[in-house]
Amino acid sequence: MTPSRPDSDCLVRFLLPDAGVRGVRVHLHDTWRDVRSGDDAPAAATELLGEACAAAALFTGHAKIDGRLSVQLRGEGALRTLFAECTAAGTLRGIVRLGEGVTTLPRGLRAAGEGATLAITIENPRAGDREPQRYQGLVALASDSLSPAFEDYFRQSEQLPTRVALAADGTAAAGLMLQKLPGDEGDADGWNRASALFDTLTAPELLACPTATLLQRLFHQESPQLLDRRPLRFGCSCSRERVAAVLQSLGQEEARAALVEGRAQVRCEFCGQGYAFDRAAIDALFTAGPAPMTAPTRLQ
């Protein structure tokens, strides 16, 4: 097993002051190992999952996140679901799911098929028991990879010139994002200069280089300033209450149909935690009032 580096499993924000550019670097090692611990998907699917996890963490770097930010792709092709989520507490989780019987996957987003949708969703809690405040942006799939798709999204929907680099392999997942500071900060050619330097970055460098080394190699002429660092780790928000909400959403008849030998077994797809409900527990769900559905789970 490859040991993690001291700067792994964290998010680092930085500034290129003269260029008027802000940035975020994410590197995942132990976190990535834990996310994919139960994953036996083809390499192309695993790499997409790693890139999605890195992206979800990256995007929390400059957005106001009090709850969670997720990246989700849904399709009808060989690639059915790609989901990654990062919370304000720095916990990450993710899954990738393929079509039934699919054992190999071509590289790229076209594996999701025609009509696939990619979305970035932010959920922030509200006071009391009110539903969380939710914002969702749809990402156009004009590109066959995640990085340029996200760049187009920020440029068109957020009016922020943005560069995104994502990479993943069996050991690590990483990402780097640059954004032009809002307003007229920085010199006139700052963004073009930073973007040209960004283009020299390779995937092996993104995965292997410590953050300080990477920033110095790419942007030493721009005098990069490290702003802050936030630890990241694997974490799942599943709970018996959330699984109960999923069963409630099925309706009493379908929830009862999930009983096998008097018990419904529910397993969280993210962490593998199992939850068991007998007939009395299921019936009690429909006399206690509805609960909101949140965490995806799967009936077993």
Coordinates of all heavy atoms in Angstrom, one line a residue, residues 223-257:
S223 N 4.0 34.5 -7.5 CA 4.1 34.5 -6.0 C 2.9 34.0 -5.3 O 2.2 34.7 -4.7 CB 4.4 36.0 -5.6 OG 5.5 36.5 -6.2
P224 N 2.6 32.7 -5.5 CA 1.4 32.2 -4.9 C 1.4 32.3 -3.4 O 2.4 32.1 -2.7 CB 1.4 30.7 -5.3 CG 2.9 30.4 -5.7 CD 3.4 31.7 -6.2
Q225 N 0.2 32.6 -2.8 CA 0.0 32.7 -1.4 C -1.0 31.7 -0.9 O -2.1 31.6 -1.4 CB -0.5 34.1 -1.0 CG 0.4 35.3 -1.4 CD -0.2 36.6 -1.1 OE1 -1.3 36.7 -0.5 NE2 0.5 37.7 -1.5
L226 N -0.5 30.8 0.0 CA -1.4 29.9 0.6 C -2.4 30.6 1.6 O -1.9 31.3 2.5 CB -0.7 28.7 1.3 CG 0.3 27.9 0.4 CD1 0.9 26.8 1.3 CD2 -0.5 27.3 -0.7
L227 N -3.7 30.3 1.5 CA -4.6 31.0 2.3 C -5.0 30.2 3.5 O -4.9 30.6 4.7 CB -5.9 31.4 1.5 CG -5.6 32.4 0.4 CD1 -6.9 32.6 -0.4 CD2 -5.0 33.7 0.9
D228 N -5.5 29.0 3.3 CA -5.9 28.1 4.4 C -5.9 26.6 3.9 O -5.9 26.4 2.7 CB -7.2 28.5 5.0 CG -8.3 28.7 4.0 OD1 -8.5 27.8 3.2 OD2 -9.0 29.7 4.1
R229 N -6.0 25.7 4.9 CA -6.0 24.3 4.6 C -7.2 23.7 5.4 O -7.4 24.0 6.6 CB -4.7 23.7 5.0 CG -4.5 22.2 4.7 CD -3.2 21.8 5.3 NE -2.1 22.5 4.8 CZ -1.3 22.1 3.8 NH1 -1.5 21.0 3.2 NH2 -0.3 22.9 3.4
R230 N -7.9 22.8 4.8 CA -9.0 22.1 5.5 C -8.9 20.6 5.3 O -8.8 20.1 4.1 CB -10.4 22.6 4.9 CG -11.6 21.9 5.5 CD -12.8 22.8 5.3 NE -13.1 23.0 3.9 CZ -14.0 22.3 3.2 NH1 -14.6 21.3 3.8 NH2 -14.2 22.5 1.9
P231 N -8.9 19.8 6.3 CA -8.8 18.4 6.2 C -10.1 17.8 5.6 O -11.2 18.3 5.7 CB -8.6 17.9 7.6 CG -9.2 18.9 8.5 CD -9.0 20.2 7.8
L232 N -9.9 16.7 4.8 CA -11.0 15.9 4.2 C -10.9 14.5 4.7 O -9.8 13.9 4.9 CB -10.8 16.0 2.7 CG -10.9 17.4 2.1 CD1 -10.5 17.3 0.6 CD2 -12.3 18.0 2.2
R233 N -12.0 13.8 4.7 CA -12.1 12.4 5.1 C -13.3 11.8 4.6 O -14.3 12.5 4.2 CB -12.0 12.3 6.7 CG -13.2 12.9 7.4 CD -13.1 12.8 8.9 NE -14.2 13.5 9.5 CZ -15.4 13.0 9.7 NH1 -15.7 11.8 9.3 NH2 -16.3 13.7 10.4
F234 N -13.3 10.5 4.5 CA -14.5 9.8 4.1 C -15.5 9.8 5.3 O -15.2 9.7 6.4 CB -14.2 8.3 3.8 CG -15.5 7.4 3.6 CD1 -16.2 7.5 2.5 CD2 -15.9 6.6 4.6 CE1 -17.3 6.8 2.3 CE2 -17.0 5.8 4.5 CZ -17.8 5.9 3.3
G235 N -16.8 10.0 4.9 CA -17.9 10.0 5.9 C -19.2 9.8 5.3 O -19.4 10.3 4.2
C236 N -20.0 9.1 5.9 CA -21.4 8.8 5.4 C -22.4 9.3 6.3 O -22.3 9.2 7.5 CB -21.6 7.3 5.1 SG -23.1 6.9 4.2
S237 N -23.5 9.9 5.8 CA -24.5 10.5 6.6 C -25.7 9.6 6.7 O -26.8 10.1 7.1 CB -24.9 11.9 6.0 OG -25.4 11.7 4.6
C238 N -25.6 8.4 6.3 CA -26.7 7.5 6.5 C -27.1 7.3 7.9 O -26.3 7.4 8.8 CB -26.4 6.1 5.8 SG -25.3 5.0 6.7
S239 N -28.3 6.9 8.2 CA -28.8 6.7 9.5 C -30.1 5.9 9.5 O -30.7 5.8 8.4 CB -29.1 8.0 10.3 OG -30.1 8.7 9.7
R240 N -30.5 5.3 10.5 CA -31.7 4.5 10.5 C -32.9 5.5 10.2 O -33.9 5.1 9.5 CB -32.0 3.9 11.9 CG -33.2 2.9 11.9 CD -33.3 2.2 13.2 NE -34.5 1.3 13.2 CZ -34.5 0.1 12.7 NH1 -33.4 -0.4 12.1 NH2 -35.6 -0.6 12.7
E241 N -32.8 6.7 10.7 CA -33.9 7.6 10.4 C -34.0 7.9 8.9 O -35.1 8.0 8.3 CB -33.7 9.0 11.1 CG -33.9 8.9 12.6 CD -32.7 8.1 13.3 OE1 -31.6 8.0 12.7 OE2 -32.9 7.6 14.4
R242 N -32.9 8.1 8.2 CA -32.9 8.3 6.8 C -33.4 7.1 6.0 O -34.1 7.2 5.0 CB -31.6 8.8 6.3 CG -31.2 10.2 6.8 CD -30.0 10.7 6.1 NE -29.8 12.1 6.5 CZ -29.0 12.9 5.9 NH1 -28.3 12.5 4.8 NH2 -28.8 14.2 6.3
V243 N -33.0 5.9 6.4 CA -33.5 4.7 5.8 C -35.0 4.6 6.0 O -35.7 4.2 5.1 CB -32.8 3.5 6.3 CG1 -33.3 2.2 5.7 CG2 -31.3 3.6 6.0
A244 N -35.5 4.9 7.2 CA -36.9 4.9 7.4 C -37.6 5.9 6.5 O -38.7 5.6 6.0 CB -37.2 5.3 8.9
A245 N -37.0 7.0 6.2 CA -37.6 8.0 5.3 C -37.7 7.4 3.9 O -38.7 7.6 3.2 CB -36.8 9.3 5.2
V246 N -36.7 6.6 3.4 CA -36.8 6.0 2.1 C -37.9 5.0 2.1 O -38.7 4.9 1.1 CB -35.4 5.3 1.8 CG1 -35.5 4.5 0.5 CG2 -34.3 6.3 1.7
L247 N -38.1 4.2 3.1 CA -39.2 3.2 3.2 C -40.5 3.9 3.2 O -41.4 3.4 2.5 CB -39.0 2.3 4.4 CG -37.8 1.3 4.4 CD1 -37.7 0.7 5.8 CD2 -38.0 0.3 3.3
Q248 N -40.6 5.0 3.9 CA -41.9 5.8 3.9 C -42.2 6.3 2.5 O -43.4 6.3 2.0 CB -41.8 6.9 4.8 CG -42.0 6.6 6.3 CD -41.9 7.8 7.2 OE1 -40.9 8.5 7.2 NE2 -42.9 8.0 7.9
S249 N -41.2 6.7 1.7 CA -41.4 7.2 0.4 C -41.9 6.2 -0.6 O -42.5 6.5 -1.6 CB -40.1 7.8 -0.1 OG -39.2 6.8 -0.5
L250 N -41.7 4.9 -0.2 CA -42.2 3.8 -1.1 C -43.7 3.6 -1.0 O -44.3 3.1 -1.9 CB -41.5 2.5 -0.8 CG -39.9 2.4 -1.0 CD1 -39.4 1.1 -0.5 CD2 -39.6 2.6 -2.4
G251 N -44.2 4.0 0.2 CA -45.6 3.7 0.5 C -45.7 2.4 1.3 O -44.8 1.5 1.2
Q252 N -46.7 2.2 2.0 CA -46.8 1.1 3.0 C -46.9 -0.2 2.2 O -46.2 -1.2 2.6 CB -48.1 1.2 3.9 CG -48.1 0.2 5.0 CD -49.2 0.5 6.0 OE1 -49.9 1.5 5.9 NE2 -49.1 -0.2 7.1
E253 N -47.6 -0.3 1.1 CA -47.7 -1.6 0.4 C -46.3 -2.0 -0.1 O -45.9 -3.2 0.0 CB -48.7 -1.4 -0.8 CG -49.0 -2.8 -1.5 CD -50.0 -2.6 -2.5 OE1 -50.8 -1.6 -2.5 OE2 -50.1 -3.5 -3.4
E254 N -45.6 -1.1 -0.8 CA -44.3 -1.5 -1.3 C -43.3 -1.8 -0.2 O -42.4 -2.6 -0.3 CB -43.8 -0.4 -2.3 CG -44.4 -0.4 -3.6 CD -43.6 0.5 -4.6 OE1 -42.4 0.4 -4.6 OE2 -44.3 1.3 -5.3
A255 N -43.4 -1.0 0.9 CA -42.4 -1.3 2.0 C -42.7 -2.7 2.6 O -41.7 -3.4 2.9 CB -42.6 -0.2 3.0
R256 N -43.9 -3.1 2.7 CA -44.2 -4.4 3.2 C -43.7 -5.5 2.2 O -43.3 -6.5 2.6 CB -45.7 -4.6 3.4 CG -46.2 -3.9 4.7 CD -47.7 -4.1 4.8 NE -48.3 -3.6 6.1 CZ -49.6 -3.5 6.3 NH1 -50.5 -3.9 5.4 NH2 -50.0 -3.0 7.5
A257 N -43.8 -5.2 0.9 CA -43.3 -6.1 -0.1 C -41.8 -6.4 0.0 O -41.3 -7.4 -0.5 CB -43.7 -5.6 -1.5

